[in-house]
Amino acid sequence: MSYRLLTYAAGKEARAGLLVGDLVYDVAGATRKREWSSVMALLGEWSAAKAKLTQLAKKPGKGGMPLKRTKLLAPVLYPGNIYCAGANYKDHVAEMERAQGREPGPTMKDRGEQPWHFIKTTRSSIVGPEATVKIPPYSHALDWEVEMVAVIGRKAKDLPVEKAMGCVAGYTIANDLSARDVMRREKNPPASPFHYDWVSQKCFDGSCPIGPWIVPANEIRDPHNLGIKLWVGDELMQDSNTSQMIFNTAEQIAMLSSRVTLQPGDLILTGTPAGVGMGRKRFLQSGERVRLWIEGIGEFSHKMG
């Protein structure tokens, strides 16, 4: 029996839940392991936890709560590090080149480069399904970016590409919200190392909505052949496939683990496809609802305030 790992609100408390069918079970209660009350705790012991959750999903027993009456929170509260791939979808790279008045050229991979990542904050950035994200007062060009997220479940350092996927516990969905009009400090020349402002652009409060849950890695046959979509209101903005990735998830993990030790609970946002607001000069407004979907993983929504 398949399952989904999530975090839900139990009064004022956040607890790890196991979704089987349309019922949610409290993980700590069902396994009788009080220390497994959070998803971060489960990821920290993922080998043992995965075996127990798989067994539990086959015979979940009584005490399940209907999903429709369960308030979902961000599935990982709170990740250790959030690594975000930049310029990693062929169709998105092409649209961003055109948006800046240039013809699309070779990708980083074509040039013989390695995957490139930036970092988001964790506790300030992470929000969950149905959260309201306040548009930062300094931005009038807030953009959307639907991304597949690899959730790390095992400490990893210097992994070769062929072994990299072994550290992935599962997958979820994120919106890498981006304040496009503050990405550059115009008083600094483009050649200056201080020209780009990654904190203002990528790390404002609520800049990383994630959800709705984590799908175990073994349930996703091919993470690089999944439909991926995003709507603003009823308008479909992004409609692509993870096959458009320039560097696949294994290549990203191998590169990151050559520089840092990946830890259980770290998130890797693997890039976004074409269809962002920057390419059409259309940005998010207060009151709008954003809906994100990835084939085989699920969907969730959040609001803009």
Side-chain angles (χ1 to χ4, degrees):
M1 185 72 175
S2 65
Y3 69 87
R4 306 290 181 258
L5 183 60
L6 55 82
T7 298
Y8 72 97
K12 295 183 179 181
E13 189 179 0
R15 295 187 65 82
L18 187 74
L19 175 63
V20 182
D22 60 356
L23 295 177
V24 176
Y25 299 85
D26 183 81
V27 173
T31 60
R32 298 181 181 179
K33 290 178 72 72
R34 288 187 298 174
E35 63 271 26
W36 283 0
S37 62
S38 74
V39 169
M40 279 295 287
L42 288 161
L43 292 170
E45 300 181 48
W46 185 242
S47 180
K50 179 173 66 172
K52 191 66 176 178
L53 295 177
T54 301
Q55 179 184 18
L56 181 61
K58 293 176 181 177
K59 293 183 178 181
K62 299 179 181 180
M65 304 167 286
L67 176 62
K68 62 183 179 181
R69 297 211 302 265
T70 304
K71 179 177 174 55
L72 300 184
L73 305 175
V76 185
L77 288 174
Y78 287 95
N81 297 296
I82 304 174
Y83 302 98
C84 306
N88 196 48
Y89 272 67
K90 289 174 279 189
D91 54 2
H92 177 53
V93 169
E95 83 171 336
M96 293 299 277
E97 292 279 10
R98 293 190 184 99
Q100 297 175 62
R102 299 191 297 265
E103 281 302 309
T107 66
M108 283 193 286
K109 197 170 189 177
D110 294 332
R111 296 188 183 105
E113 265 288 3
Q114 296 291 318
W116 183 92
H117 294 81
F118 60 89
I119 296 175
K120 273 186 180 278
T121 51
T122 54
R123 294 186 70 89
S124 296
S125 294
I126 291 289
V127 293
E130 296 306 316
T132 297
V133 178
K134 185 176 180 181
I135 296 174
Y138 56 77
S139 177
H140 300 284
L142 194 65
D143 208 345
W144 55 83
E145 296 186 29
V146 60
E147 309 211 8
M148 184 183 78
V149 182
V151 182
I152 300 301
R154 177 170 62 82
K155 186 181 289 189
K157 178 63 177 168
D158 294 325
L159 288 178
V161 170
E162 58 270 18
K163 294 184 178 180
M165 299 300 281
C167 72
V168 177
Y171 300 93
T172 189
I173 308 169
N175 192 358
D176 173 22
L177 291 169
S178 306
R180 301 291 190 192
D181 48 350
V182 293
M183 66 189 294
R184 293 182 175 88
R185 296 184 179 217
E186 298 298 345
K187 294 180 181 179
N188 284 307
S192 167
F194 310 111
H195 181 67
Y196 290 96
D197 186 349
W198 292 102
V199 171
S200 297
Q201 183 191 184
K202 296 286 191 177
C203 298
F204 52 89
D205 289 353
S207 63
C208 193
I210 64 171
W213 42 61
I214 298 168
V215 177
N218 64 289
E219 293 194 25
I220 301 293
R221 180 177 297 179
D222 183 0
H224 304 109
N225 187 24
L226 303 175
I228 179 169
K229 298 182 182 183
L230 179 145
W231 293 260
V232 178
D234 294 327
E235 188 175 1
L236 179 62
M237 297 297 191
Q238 292 181 273
D239 184 2
S240 188
N241 191 283
T242 57
S243 62
Q244 283 283 314
M245 282 189 200
I246 295 168
F247 296 101
N248 65 31
T249 307
E251 290 169 322
Q252 293 185 49
I253 290 171
M255 172 58 183
L256 286 167
S257 75
S258 74
R259 301 299 193 262
V260 298
T261 299
L262 297 174
Q263 303 285 349
D266 285 352
L267 305 182
I268 300 176
L269 278 60
T270 55
T272 199
V276 300
M278 183 78 168
R280 61 187 84 196
K281 298 297 185 284
R282 194 281 198 212
F283 300 105
L284 291 166
Q285 303 297 316
S286 180
E288 289 187 313
R289 177 177 291 274
V290 182
R291 179 161 60 99
L292 306 95
W293 170 87
I294 298 180
E295 181 181 0
I297 299 177
E299 71 174 65
F300 79 101
S301 299
H302 69 84
K303 293 171 280 189
M304 304 306 304

